[in-house]
Amino acid sequence: GAVVSQHPSRVICKSGTSVKIECRSLDFQATTMFWYRQFPKQSLMLMATSNEGSKATYEQGVEKDKFLINHASLTLSTLTVTSAHPEDSSFYICSARDPKTGDFQPQHFGDGTRLSIL
Amino acid sequence: KQEVTQIPAALSVPEGENLVLNCSFTDSAIYNLQWFRQDPGKGLTSLLLIQSSQREQTSGRLNASLDKSSGRSTLYIAASQPGDSATYLCAVQDSGYALNFGKGTSLLVTP
């Protein structure tokens, strides 16, 4: 079946560091990918929608200059957390949509990235 | 904006019991509804997807129902096992393709 690979699975770094997270669709071309964030004991919240070849669409309250999204190819979207601070510590997870399967089919999720900023 | 609510937030049951998890959503104009399982510190495992035109889906000991008009879904787990312990998330997909998640129900099945 369709697989989405997310890397790295865990990051621990110092405050002020920029962190890049990759999301790859392994056996389909994903024109649209989604980035979610989950704080402890909270729901997954959509951060942004990543569209191949165009600018990402960010949800209200998400700083586009802090969370840089690049979707330069049909199989790769990256999320860069710039100058990360402890409050950015969270679980980040991506999903991808296979446009060939139609509007009613499930998206495919990566395994997520646990980001801890010291 | 779509709001998804899950009740209860946490549930503890002895092994073997049948149980029901509830999900409600505010906007009935959905494409589909999915139930996921999330183990601590892990990603999501898709359990069942119900399309907007469907009423229920079954997979093994799991049965999910959907009443779109009332904005409700239930996940029924039969003969619960300790391995079922996890957080169960309900998510609805609307026209924007992104998923709107509830906060989840944390389930503990004790031996």
Side-chain angles (χ1 to χ4, degrees):
Chain A
V3 176
V4 171
S5 173
Q6 187 173 340
H7 178 81
S9 59
R10 178 141 177 96
V11 179
I12 302 173
C13 58
K14 294 181 179 179
S15 183
T17 305
S18 292
V19 178
K20 180 185 282 188
I21 303 170
E22 293 187 347
C23 181
R24 293 181 184 273
S25 57
L26 297 184
D27 58 357
F28 65 98
Q29 294 182 329
T31 53
T32 305
M33 291 185 176
F34 303 93
W35 288 96
Y36 297 85
R37 178 170 56 184
Q38 185 182 35
F39 291 110
K41 299 191 183 300
Q42 297 296 314
S43 178
L44 278 84
M45 298 297 294
L46 178 68
M47 298 177 64
T49 301
S50 172
N51 301 297
E52 188 269 337
S54 64
K55 291 183 178 180
T57 304
Y58 290 82
E59 295 300 299
Q60 190 173 11
V62 178
E63 300 175 58
K64 62 180 181 180
D65 294 331
K66 182 169 184 63
F67 299 98
L68 301 179
I69 291 174
N70 185 283
H71 194 159
S73 79
L74 286 170
T75 59
L76 174 65
S77 176
T78 61
L79 168 67
T80 301
V81 184
T82 61
S83 187
H85 293 286
E87 59 265 29
D88 298 321
S89 298
S90 187
F91 184 69
Y92 294 84
I93 191 167
C94 69
S95 72
R97 178 175 169 269
D98 184 351
K100 297 194 304 296
T101 61
D103 293 343
F104 299 97
Q105 296 307 311
Q107 297 170 18
H108 307 283
F109 281 83
D111 287 336
T113 298
R114 176 74 57 189
L115 176 62
S116 299
I117 308 298
L118 306 177
Chain B
K1 178 169 165 50
Q2 182 77 264
E3 299 284 342
V4 181
T5 303
Q6 290 187 246
I7 295 173
L11 182 63
S12 180
V13 300
E15 181 177 6
E17 275 203 7
N18 303 324
L19 56 100
V20 175
L21 308 182
N22 297 291
C23 173
S24 62
F25 47 96
T26 54
D27 187 347
S28 62
I30 65 171
Y31 276 14
N32 59 52
L33 182 144
Q34 276 187 269
W35 284 93
F36 293 89
R37 169 185 173 136
Q38 185 177 30
D39 292 284
K42 303 293 185 181
L44 305 180
T45 300
S46 181
L47 299 173
L48 289 164
L49 179 145
I50 310 176
Q51 297 183 8
S52 61
S53 59
Q54 298 175 325
R55 297 283 293 184
E56 66 176 342
Q57 283 287 329
T58 298
S59 176
R61 294 182 293 109
L62 305 179
N63 175 276
S65 67
L66 173 64
D67 184 341
K68 200 173 72 161
S69 62
S70 67
R72 296 179 188 276
S73 175
T74 61
L75 178 66
Y76 176 83
I77 302 177
S80 59
Q81 302 171 357
D84 295 331
S85 298
T87 296
Y88 290 80
L89 297 171
C90 168
V92 298
Q93 178 181 329
D94 54 25
S95 60
Y97 297 121
L99 296 182
N100 299 280
F101 285 86
K103 288 186 177 181
T105 293
S106 178
L107 173 65
L108 176 65
V109 181
T110 56

